[in-house]
Amino acid sequence: MWFFARDPVRDFPFELSPEPAEGGPPGPWALHSGRKKATGSPVSIFVYDVKPGAEEQTQVAKAAFKRLKTLRHPNILAYIDGLETDKCLHIVTEAVTPLGVYLKARAEAGGLKELELSWGLHQIVKALSFLVNDCSLIHNNVCMAAVFVDRAGEWKLGGLDYMYSAQGNGGGPPSKGIPELEQYDPPELADSSGRAVREKWSADMWRLGCLIWEVFNGPLPRATALRNPGKIPKSLVPHYCELVGANPKVRPNPARFLQNCRAPGGFMSNRFVETNLFLEEIQIKEPAEKQKFFQELSKSLDSFPEDFCRHKVLPQLLTAFEFGNAGAVVLTPLFKVGKFLSTEEYQQKIIPVVVKMFSSTDRAMRIRLLQQMEQFIQYLDEPTVNTQIFPHVVHGFLDTNPAIREQTVKSMLLLAPKLNEANLNVELMKHFARLQARDEQGPIRCNTTVCLGKIGSYLSASTRHRVLTSAFSRATKDPFAPSRVAGVLGFAATHNLYSMSDCAHKILPVLCGLTVDPEKSVRDQAFKAIRSFLSKLESVSEDPTQLAEVEKDVHAASSPGMGGAAASWAGWAVTGVSSLTSKLIRAHPTAAPAETNIPQRPAPEGLPAPAPTPVPATPMTSGHWETQEEGKDTAEESSAADRWDDEDWGSLEEAESVLAQQDDWNTGSQASRSRQVSQTINPDHKSPESDWSSWEAEGSWEQGWQEPNPQEPPPEGTRLASEYNWGGPEPSDKGDPFASLSARQEAGTQRRPDPWGDDNWEGLETENRQLKAELARKKREERRREMEAKRAEKKAAKGPMKLGTRKLD
């Protein structure tokens, strides 16, 4: 029976490249790039081939193998595996690049920043401090060839071939025999008398000075060049001079050198070094310290190297979220680092964390996810959005905090293209109907209308026909002026989704009613939209063959033209729509409203005139919400979709959103603002049913547009439009031509619980109810006077009672 010896090199679990890498260390070791056969992960492999007659060199190589295998430190080259045979030695380490090659590549790409160099030198000095002070070992080979850089930009100390004990165990330093390495030896080694008094670290600190010179000035030509610091930073020059001083006794200990450089104003005293030191000790930091660190981290990431962010900061952020309960504070730096990742890396590392975050009940995390959805939406696939993201996001529509509801509405602009039929046309429309009809915040109702106009192209043809006209018609009846503007702009933005019949019978009657709106901005937009729709109708009337072309998108599954503009719409909604709500919710919540005596309507005959009633002045004028006027006739004849995006919504924008500066979810100021903005329109109106589990209930969009009922005189205590200053320098004494035609309340008055539950805005029996109320009040007053007179007569007849006497019947 034959037995074959196994080849250990062939069975080695690592595969190395056939050719050595560029810039390998001088001497017998050759550096090869390699990978692990099982996983394909990259590694570096140092190979030494045993040659006959080189026993001394082989012993040095075996000693280096042993040292690297037993020494473990974050700043020393990490040993992974090894192979020792009679023919060769293999040392497998983490994937690294020689420092010389790394500096050359970075110089071609624009050069290395001082921040990176300061941290790199900090790591090498820390490794020397560990060897000298903790292990009593002399490295004896500190130079450019003994330093390597990993993929995160971390500097690692290698080249342990000539290391020896500082305590004299095992003899003196081994002979190098390589001229390229001997030029880094300190001058006292050439003194054969041995009179020079030196510390155990003196030689390595001299070599550290040579390394610093080479990092900033390139390869060291000769030892005398060390006298000229060259490009070494001024903050480092004094400490460098201590290293290359002729007296070895004054060369500082590595620990002392670090302390000097870390002093205020020192070369290693900067944000990058502090960040790295914190990350190295993050496992033992207090939760409050971690929170503060992550909050400040995002400000510094722009100045940090990309490789450092990807390979060092990102793993720590993921670990902090997964195991450290860091919460929402890691989101901003996490998405900032995510910009450096490829699509595959983002899918593997960031998306699983994002999906898990959406299931969190932490309000701060939810609102920050919604605010930053633009940064990761392109990496989410449709199944993930519909099954794992959307079911959690829709809970925001029912949140009691207005900021959550606002951000949820805005996020639909980004999620809509990825939603399936059921989620988009049924579930989302149900929540939009509830928000537009029932939400107490006028800006959120406005945002809902705007968002619906933006995503209208993604809806199915049947949903568009059933929803859009009714929703925008309802918006034109909103007491909040920007909501009425949004309704008009919604019609204009989706003009190609309506048939000519709907334009003539449903849309134009609604728009014509807005031409007498108290707000000038509403009237202006209504006239523009009317001209646009009339132009379409006139063109089809003159040439009926154009009807098919004009209505081509009405029954289409989706509108290609509008869908292609989704990117620009997203930018509009995230800026303008956001500011609109923030502006109103946060604008002067504590301002005390002024009181003004408002003239009352003439009382009916036979009834006393009611006393003047002070009512709070409206907190905002119409001019505050006016959008910027567009051009003259040329601009007015442009497409309605373009006019939607040209409106100056950005002028209302604030520099920060409602909760970007704080995680305090107290909504007291917002609620008070809501109460200040509105006042009951009809006190006799009964609150409708609160069951909105189905969007087909009362007040849903299927209800459609109906003819408005005859208008009634404004309720008692209401200011007429002519009594307001509409932007002029002084209040006008002239009557407003629209005052008698519209009874719509100002934006600062409260609304009834459900002003859009039905389309009957003007009750026909209000006057009768008021007359009956006055008569009842008059009867009660007469009855009260009669009772008082009877009591007085009875008291006068009996006379005063005497104290202490008992009344006998």
Side-chain angles (χ1 to χ4, degrees):
M1 181 177 294
W2 296 89
F3 293 94
F4 296 93
R6 299 180 62 183
D7 186 357
V9 177
R10 182 178 299 176
D11 296 336
F12 196 50
F14 297 90
E15 182 180 2
L16 70 158
S17 60
E19 297 296 331
E22 178 188 359
W29 290 100
L31 175 60
H32 294 254
S33 59
R35 66 181 183 86
K36 190 172 184 178
K37 294 179 181 178
T39 62
S41 56
V43 294
S44 291
I45 304 177
F46 293 83
V47 178
Y48 172 77
D49 293 325
V50 178
K51 299 178 181 178
E55 288 77 9
E56 183 178 356
Q57 200 172 48
T58 301
Q59 292 301 320
V60 170
K62 290 183 178 181
F65 185 101
K66 181 180 178 181
R67 292 290 190 188
L68 192 59
K69 187 176 182 180
T70 55
L71 283 174
R72 296 289 183 177
H73 190 269
N75 305 127
I76 293 179
L77 198 58
Y79 173 90
I80 296 178
D81 202 350
L83 173 66
E84 183 176 356
T85 67
D86 295 338
K87 297 181 179 180
C88 65
L89 292 174
H90 287 188
I91 301 177
V92 182
T93 69
E94 57 186 321
V96 291
T97 303
L99 178 60
V101 177
Y102 179 77
L103 293 178
K104 182 179 179 181
R106 291 299 301 269
E108 295 174 354
L112 226 61
K113 299 179 181 179
E114 279 193 13
L115 292 177
E116 300 175 68
L117 295 175
S118 66
W119 175 240
L121 292 173
H122 184 284
Q123 292 174 296
I124 299 303
V125 179
K126 198 170 182 180
L128 288 176
S129 177
F130 167 73
L131 293 175
V132 171
N133 298 317
D134 298 335
C135 303
S136 295
L137 294 173
I138 306 300
H139 187 275
N140 197 34
N141 191 27
V142 180
C143 61
M144 184 81 75
V147 180
F148 302 88
V149 184
D150 68 4
R151 61 177 185 172
E154 303 279 284
W155 291 18
K156 308 286 185 175
L157 183 61
L160 309 183
D161 306 58
Y162 309 104
M163 183 179 292
Y164 66 96
S165 175
Q167 299 175 350
N169 301 334
S175 175
K176 297 178 182 178
I178 303 176
E180 293 89 340
L181 300 178
E182 290 179 348
Q183 68 172 338
Y184 299 107
D185 290 340
E188 62 267 16
L189 293 184
D191 185 5
S192 58
S193 64
R195 296 179 180 177
V197 179
R198 58 178 183 270
E199 302 290 348
K200 58 183 179 181
W201 58 79
S202 298
D204 277 349
M205 297 308 286
W206 169 276
R207 297 184 182 99
L208 175 64
C210 298
L211 173 64
I212 293 175
W213 195 95
E214 287 188 319
V215 166
F216 291 99
N217 298 293
L220 180 66
R222 53 190 175 275
T224 56
L226 297 173
R227 299 175 182 175
N228 181 16
K231 299 179 182 179
I232 297 177
K234 293 182 179 180
S235 58
L236 184 58
V237 168
H239 311 297
Y240 160 78
C241 292
E242 292 179 352
L243 300 178
V244 296
N247 185 357
K249 187 70 176 177
V250 299
R251 294 173 197 157
N253 184 287
R256 181 56 183 270
F257 179 81
L258 278 181
Q259 184 179 353
N260 294 338
C261 292
R262 290 276 295 132
F267 178 68
M268 298 179 184
S269 177
N270 54 63
R271 177 64 180 167
F272 188 56
V273 173
E274 292 171 358
T275 300
N276 278 280
L277 293 176
F278 190 95
L279 289 175
E280 288 184 351
E281 303 173 350
I282 193 170
Q283 303 300 332
I284 61 175
K285 296 293 185 179
E286 295 293 332
E289 295 178 304
K290 294 180 183 179
Q291 290 280 334
K292 182 180 179 181
F293 171 76
F294 287 125
Q295 287 175 353
E296 299 174 351
L297 178 61
S298 58
K299 303 176 184 177
S300 308
L301 287 177
D302 293 332
S303 61
F304 289 174
E306 179 179 330
D307 291 337
F308 168 78
C309 295
R310 291 173 55 195
H311 300 295
K312 189 166 184 180
V313 175
L314 180 59
Q316 293 292 348
L317 291 173
L318 298 177
T319 302
F321 171 75
E322 191 74 20
F323 306 107
N325 298 323
V329 73
V330 304
L331 284 177
T332 302
L334 180 65
F335 292 135
K336 216 165 191 177
V337 174
K339 297 178 181 179
F340 302 128
L341 303 179
S342 64
T343 302
E344 295 181 359
E345 290 178 317
Y346 205 102
Q347 291 282 354
Q348 295 174 358
K349 298 179 179 179
I350 305 293
I351 293 303
V353 176
V354 170
V355 171
K356 186 175 181 180
M357 287 178 175
F358 269 108
S359 63
S360 172
T361 57
D362 181 11
R363 274 179 166 175
M365 180 173 294
R366 285 163 53 195
I367 195 169
R368 292 191 183 184
L369 280 172
L370 296 174
Q371 289 172 341
Q372 303 184 55
M373 186 176 290
E374 271 189 309
Q375 302 188 31
F376 59 84
I377 186 64
Q378 66 269 25
Y379 301 104
L380 295 172
D381 54 23
E382 293 186 9
T384 302
V385 170
N386 285 282
T387 60
Q388 301 182 59
I389 302 295
F390 184 76
H392 297 293
V393 172
V394 292
H395 293 310
F397 290 124
L398 306 175
D399 200 283
T400 57
N401 191 290
I404 296 287
R405 300 199 301 274
E406 174 202 15
Q407 293 296 336
T408 305
V409 170
K410 291 193 305 177
S411 68
M412 292 303 107
L413 194 62
L414 302 172
L415 291 176
K418 297 179 182 288
L419 294 179
N420 57 27
E421 177 78 12
N423 285 337
L424 178 62
N425 293 287
V426 179
E427 185 70 16
L428 181 58
M429 292 301 102
K430 176 185 69 175
H431 290 289
F432 270 21
R434 180 189 295 110
L435 285 175
Q436 194 193 38
R438 302 298 180 96
D439 198 277
E440 63 181 8
Q441 294 290 339
I444 294 180
R445 301 193 301 272
C446 174
N447 293 346
T448 304
T449 304
V450 172
C451 187
L452 182 63
K454 299 295 186 178
I455 67 174
S457 61
Y458 301 110
L459 301 175
S460 64
S462 60
T463 303
R464 291 199 301 263
H465 179 73
R466 186 175 68 252
V467 168
L468 293 184
T469 305
S470 298
F472 296 143
S473 297
R474 170 185 288 160
T476 61
K477 303 173 184 179
D478 195 312
F480 189 58
S483 290
R484 302 199 294 276
V485 173
V488 178
L489 294 178
F491 278 128
T494 55
H495 66 96
N496 61 324
L497 302 179
Y498 308 111
S499 65
M500 292 298 97
S501 176
D502 286 345
C503 292
H505 294 97
K506 295 183 179 180
I507 298 176
L508 281 175
V510 174
L511 295 177
C512 289
L514 295 176
T515 57
V516 293
D517 192 275
E519 297 286 341
K520 187 176 185 302
S521 60
V522 179
R523 299 196 297 270
D524 291 344
Q525 296 301 331
F527 283 121
K528 293 176 184 178
I530 290 171
R531 283 192 288 268
S532 175
F533 281 102
L534 286 178
S535 176
K536 289 181 61 176
L537 290 170
E538 185 177 1
S539 64
V540 173
S541 175
E542 295 180 357
D543 185 6
T545 59
Q546 297 182 4
L547 181 62
E549 177 66 21
V550 172
E551 294 186 349
K552 65 179 181 179
D553 294 331
V554 175
H555 302 291
S558 62
S559 179
M562 296 178 66
S568 62
W569 288 3
W572 181 89
V574 169
T575 55
V577 181
S578 171
S579 63
L580 193 60
T581 305
S582 302
K583 185 76 175 178
L584 203 70
I585 291 178
R586 304 183 62 196
H588 313 296
T590 58
E595 293 189 354
T596 310
N597 289 333
I598 305 301
Q600 306 297 313
R601 294 179 299 149
E605 284 188 25
L607 292 179
T613 305
V615 298
T618 55
M620 290 170 290
T621 64
S622 62
H624 180 83
W625 291 106
E626 273 195 41
T627 54
Q628 198 175 39
E629 294 260 355
E630 297 181 10
K632 298 297 181 181
D633 297 337
T634 307
E636 293 173 357
E637 294 175 1
S638 63
S639 67
D642 292 337
R643 286 200 299 274
W644 175 284
D645 288 321
D646 289 342
E647 293 306 315
D648 186 18
W649 294 88
S651 62
L652 300 176
E653 188 167 353
E654 293 189 344
E656 55 194 9
S657 61
V658 177
L659 295 180
Q661 299 292 333
Q662 58 183 4
D663 292 331
D664 181 13
W665 296 97
N666 180 14
T667 59
S669 62
Q670 296 165 343
S672 64
R673 177 61 183 167
S674 173
R675 290 191 296 270
Q676 182 182 350
V677 168
S678 59
Q679 194 177 45
T680 304
I681 292 178
N682 186 356
D684 296 330
H685 179 77
K686 297 180 180 180
S687 60
E689 295 295 328
S690 59
D691 182 12
W692 277 76
S693 60
S694 171
W695 68 298
E696 296 181 357
E698 177 184 354
S700 66
W701 287 334
E702 290 90 333
Q703 190 173 350
W705 175 86
Q706 301 175 2
E707 289 294 335
N709 293 322
Q711 296 179 345
E712 65 170 0
E716 180 177 337
T718 303
R719 295 182 61 180
L720 301 179
S722 59
E723 298 168 351
Y724 287 85
N725 180 11
W726 297 98
E730 296 293 337
S732 176
D733 295 333
K734 297 181 180 181
D736 193 310
F738 304 112
S740 61
L741 301 178
S742 177
R744 200 173 268 115
Q745 295 292 328
E746 288 295 326
T749 60
Q750 285 190 357
R751 64 189 189 92
R752 63 188 179 184
D754 182 20
W756 307 285
D758 52 51
D759 290 333
N760 182 15
W761 282 76
E762 320 288 347
L764 298 178
E765 299 181 358
T766 304
E767 192 69 29
N768 292 334
R769 288 198 302 269
Q770 292 178 345
L771 291 173
K772 292 178 181 179
E774 290 293 338
L775 291 174
R777 185 187 60 80
K778 184 177 180 181
K779 290 180 179 180
R780 288 195 300 272
E781 185 66 23
E782 291 177 354
R783 177 64 177 167
R784 183 183 63 80
R785 286 196 294 266
E786 291 176 0
M787 294 297 295
E788 290 179 352
K790 289 181 179 180
R791 293 192 192 99
E793 292 176 0
K794 187 176 181 180
K795 183 177 180 180
K798 294 181 179 182
M801 295 180 62
K802 295 182 180 180
L803 293 176
T805 62
R806 183 176 180 182
K807 183 178 179 182
L808 300 176
D809 296 332

